Amino acid sequence: MTLTFETRLQDAAGRIGRLAVSTADSVIQTPTLLPVVNPNIQTIDANDLSSAGAEMVITNAYIIYTTPSLREQALEEGLRSVVGFDGPIMTDSGSFQLATYGDIDVDTTEIIEFQSAIGTDIATPVDLPTAPDASVAQTEEDLQHTDEAIARAMSMETGEMAITGPVQGSTHPTLRRRAGAAARKHACDLYAIGAVVPLLNSYRYAEMVDVIVAAKEGLGPAVPVHLFGAGHPMMFALAVAAGCDLFDSAAYALYARDGRYLTVAGTAHLAEMDTLPCECPVCLEHTSASLQMASPEERERQLALHNLYVSFAELRRVRAAIAAGDLLELVEQRARGHPALLDGYRRLLAHVEYLERHDRASKGGFFGVSQEAASRPEVHRHQRRVTAVPMGSEVLITEGDCSASGGYDTCWRLMPPFGPVPMALQDSYPTNATLPQDATEAERRMAMDGVRRLVAAHPSSRFTVAHHGWPPSTLAAISSDVVMIDLTD
């Protein structure tokens, strides 16, 4: 194979991986960003791309194919001569133009042959992107076209060039899942989730999460997954936690052209900024005033560089969070920066069974910095596993002191959001969690879910739950066979 992928560390559904591209003799650490290089308008040069952190880029083979001067150069001198980048280069096929304008003057056979001829490392067939909210019938018809395009590309003799398998399906999770499974059967080298840009532009992050999770469930856990057209640093942590390994975007350059400055919390307009709140080389060497006074070309270049620096810095934070086992803590922090990101984070936690399948079981710690932490996979895993622990006939689950639990065969701590915790495990991960002192309603409800699971798993035991004034609404769903004691009385 010309492209191999190895997972090194995992947290939630995010992972640190190694993507080896043999045609370029390169190994890329993921998750990472592939900056889009427009062959007609190159805002910054290859040295700038590399200094900002780019190890791999993406460009549009269709633009090169339909621009005579670029086509001639690419065929005579190779793709790297046109792009000016020595590392691995992925090329798109014109599908973006197809989705935008409704038609293009090339088919999969022609564009794959061209990508091979110019020395592309990772090529893409002409898939058919389906916009969000399209009908099921239209989406299914488009998926047939995409499947045929993938099959055609994989059947061609292209030497060592890798082939991308696009995964479409609009906003229908069932169809995204089916498309992922269909693409996987073609044994492509890389898989790319497409047609998410309209969702991102509309801040529909919850639906983006649904799309990613469904596609990943169809593709399976072993393959590298690219999210087409996603490049704003504010959403990297969320998308990685959902399972994406690679991103691409022209946002760094397009936003710079419009005088916009990227941050992990959103986008600012340079003209409205007094201070540049960043430690990148651009922001250390310039002020907002000096950039505004620079020539349009220089201002655009410097802003594009900043936008890349901040993007790659965020991806380094994401990789560090995965290594430390606290990726979801980073997602929680980012989610507080925008309501739509919070929607996305909550939707991700709604896929808790999916997350738990991928999440590693042992980490350094658990920090609960929001009520959403009650729904994290570590909590569900704990509640499921402790049901297998043997119980005595009389069981006390208490927020109080187990040392004064005479008359009971078993005494466990009641710890929101985890629920019942054996005394021997209370100082072990994840129940050695750092949490706010005052439990929220959501954390108490999750704790009671744990009590219900334990009670259901041990029908021959009698349970008593002792709490400090928990409201009736939290306790109402507990079986009437469970004795409830309010320790504040």
Side-chain angles (χ1 to χ4, degrees):
M1 294 181 65
T2 61
L3 191 154
T4 57
F5 181 73
E6 175 189 4
T7 298
R8 306 301 298 272
L9 283 171
Q10 188 129 356
D11 190 21
R15 57 206 177 169
I16 295 174
R18 296 174 74 253
L19 185 72
V21 187
S22 63
T23 53
D25 193 25
S26 297
V27 177
I28 309 302
Q29 189 175 43
T30 65
T32 194
L33 171 69
L34 282 58
V36 172
V37 176
N38 185 328
N40 282 317
I41 310 171
Q42 296 197 27
T43 304
I44 57 179
D45 62 27
N47 290 333
D48 287 334
L49 290 169
S50 298
S51 66
E55 298 179 282
M56 183 173 175
V57 300
I58 185 170
T59 192
N60 194 304
Y62 180 72
I63 292 177
I64 299 172
Y65 183 82
T66 55
T67 306
S69 60
L70 294 176
R71 178 174 178 169
E72 182 179 351
Q73 181 184 356
L75 289 171
E76 290 183 357
E77 303 175 17
L79 179 61
R80 282 174 176 76
S81 172
V82 176
V83 177
F85 188 78
D86 290 333
I89 303 175
M90 182 177 177
T91 48
D92 198 3
S93 60
S95 295
F96 175 79
Q97 284 76 14
L98 179 62
T100 303
Y101 305 115
D103 191 26
I104 56 174
D105 298 324
V106 69
D107 60 19
T108 286
T109 299
E110 293 170 315
I111 202 64
I112 291 292
E113 288 177 344
F114 179 68
Q115 290 173 92
S116 179
I118 64 177
T120 290
D121 297 296
I122 305 173
T124 309
V126 182
D127 59 306
L128 192 54
T130 310
D133 310 312
S135 69
V136 169
Q138 181 63 56
T139 304
E140 289 181 325
E141 182 179 335
D142 293 350
L143 285 179
Q144 181 63 31
H145 173 99
T146 294
D147 189 66
E148 292 170 357
I150 298 172
R152 176 59 185 145
M154 293 299 294
S155 71
M156 296 174 64
E157 293 293 333
T158 58
E160 295 185 343
M161 183 175 70
I163 300 294
T164 303
V167 180
Q168 298 292 342
S170 186
T171 39
H172 304 291
T174 300
L175 298 184
R176 287 281 184 173
R177 194 174 295 109
R178 185 197 305 174
R184 186 74 178 89
K185 289 180 181 179
H186 292 296
C188 302
D189 300 283
L190 174 70
Y191 299 87
I193 301 171
V196 296
V197 172
L199 295 177
L200 299 175
N201 289 343
S202 301
Y203 296 94
R204 295 166 65 177
Y205 291 119
E207 289 164 284
M208 178 200 76
V209 167
D210 287 340
V211 162
I212 295 170
V213 170
K216 287 276 294 186
E217 288 177 332
L219 288 167
V223 298
V225 175
H226 185 113
L227 190 64
F228 267 142
H232 199 299
M234 69 187 289
M235 49 73 63
F236 285 154
L238 176 63
V240 170
C244 295
D245 305 296
L246 299 164
F247 304 90
D248 76 84
S249 178
Y252 74 96
L254 295 175
Y255 281 24
R257 200 166 302 149
D258 194 34
R260 289 188 285 175
Y261 177 102
L262 295 183
T263 77
V264 295
T267 308
H269 286 272
L270 180 66
E272 299 173 358
M273 301 176 68
D274 292 325
T275 302
L276 302 180
C278 175
E279 303 87 6
C280 80
V282 172
C283 296
L284 291 177
E285 296 172 9
H286 299 83
T287 65
S288 176
S290 69
L291 286 178
Q292 292 180 59
M293 293 173 61
S295 68
E297 295 78 14
E298 180 62 13
R299 180 170 58 249
E300 181 179 333
R301 176 179 174 272
Q302 294 295 339
L303 276 178
L305 267 174
H306 158 78
N307 291 343
L308 279 180
Y309 277 121
V310 76
S311 297
F312 281 107
E314 178 66 359
L315 285 165
R316 289 193 295 273
R317 288 187 200 97
V318 169
R319 291 197 294 265
I322 294 171
D326 54 17
L327 177 58
L328 290 180
E329 277 95 334
L330 179 60
V331 177
E332 285 187 353
Q333 293 172 28
R334 298 294 178 252
R336 260 50 203 179
H338 196 286
L341 281 174
L342 183 56
D343 288 338
Y345 178 47
R346 289 172 174 168
R347 186 65 58 84
L348 178 65
L349 293 177
H351 295 285
V352 65
E353 292 182 1
Y354 161 79
L355 290 178
E356 191 185 341
R357 287 198 302 271
H358 298 279
D359 191 44
R360 70 179 189 256
S362 180
K363 305 178 190 179
F366 181 107
F367 276 69
V369 296
S370 71
Q371 64 178 355
E372 285 77 27
S375 300
R376 280 173 48 176
E378 297 98 320
V379 177
H380 288 265
R381 182 185 297 117
H382 165 80
Q383 292 185 356
R384 189 186 71 253
R385 289 183 173 182
V386 297
T387 59
V389 177
M391 293 283 109
S393 298
E394 298 288 337
V395 180
L396 173 65
I397 302 171
T398 180
E399 281 194 295
D401 187 357
C402 271
S403 62
S405 57
Y408 295 96
D409 303 305
T410 304
C411 181
W412 284 13
R413 292 290 308 278
L414 178 60
M415 296 177 59
F418 296 95
V421 177
M423 293 298 295
L425 297 181
Q426 64 179 344
D427 294 324
S428 302
Y429 175 84
T431 51
N432 62 343
T434 301
L435 300 163
Q437 290 187 351
D438 295 327
T440 66
E441 180 74 9
E443 291 167 338
R444 288 170 172 167
R445 283 199 303 269
M446 185 59 71
M448 286 298 106
D449 284 344
V451 172
R452 281 191 287 273
R453 288 191 187 191
L454 195 65
V455 169
H458 298 277
S460 61
S461 299
R462 294 179 58 188
F463 287 84
T464 298
V465 174
H467 60 91
H468 285 109
W470 288 20
S473 60
T474 302
L475 309 173
I478 296 296
S479 168
S480 58
D481 294 333
V482 176
V483 177
M484 308 301 297
I485 299 176
D486 189 343
L487 297 174
T488 60
D489 291 342

